[in-house]
Amino acid sequence: QVQLVESGGGLVQAGGSLRLSCAASVRTSAMGWFRLAPGKEREFVAAITRNVDLQYADSVNGRFTISRDNAKNTMYLQMNNLKPEDTAVYLCAASWRIMSPQARRFKSTYDCWGQGTQVTVSS
């Protein structure tokens, strides 16, 4: 059974940093991070392909960096200059299909999801 396991969440003050990890049990194609805040829809954060084609949401561009280690089937999200509005459960997603850059921004196009890791940013 395919599994995605996130780690690295926690509580941090505004302006601080956190690094999230997502370990996949199998080889994946595109992978992405989404986040879910109370009362809001699941929101795209960033996506990356095996050949390191990147996409970012405007709200995190310049502050967050997505990367992956294909040999380890692991994806990372370095989050810097965190803001209270970044508080959410961060979810890892993966697909085994080739997707267009635009498609990678939509949660419906991913095949598998992790359980999520909580990120809380205090003001």
Side-chain angles (χ1 to χ4, degrees):
Q1 184 173 351
V2 178
Q3 286 188 320
L4 298 177
V5 180
E6 301 100 333
S7 61
L11 173 64
V12 65
Q13 288 187 330
S17 298
L18 284 173
R19 188 190 193 212
L20 306 183
S21 298
C22 172
S25 59
V26 297
R27 185 180 187 273
T28 62
S29 179
M31 298 185 76
W33 289 101
F34 289 74
R35 63 189 182 186
L36 184 61
K40 294 187 177 181
E41 295 285 327
R42 190 173 298 193
E43 176 188 28
F44 170 75
V45 175
I48 185 169
T49 64
R50 291 189 67 82
N51 61 355
V52 199
D53 186 17
L54 311 178
Q55 285 82 41
Y56 292 99
D58 290 343
S59 59
V60 306
N61 199 16
R63 299 187 297 122
F64 291 10
T65 302
I66 191 171
S67 61
R68 66 188 290 170
D69 184 334
N70 290 332
K72 297 180 179 179
N73 293 328
T74 301
M75 173 180 65
Y76 306 96
L77 186 68
Q78 177 66 43
M79 305 185 294
N80 297 328
N81 190 21
L82 282 160
K83 303 176 181 180
E85 52 263 42
D86 294 318
T87 295
V89 174
Y90 282 70
L91 300 124
C92 168
S95 173
W96 292 272
R97 294 167 287 134
I98 304 297
M99 295 191 290
S100 69
Q102 188 60 29
R104 293 170 210 149
R105 296 176 177 267
F106 291 91
K107 56 184 183 290
S108 60
T109 58
Y110 288 85
D111 300 307
C112 184
W113 291 84
Q115 293 298 309
T117 184
Q118 177 70 45
V119 171
T120 302
V121 184
S122 63
S123 57

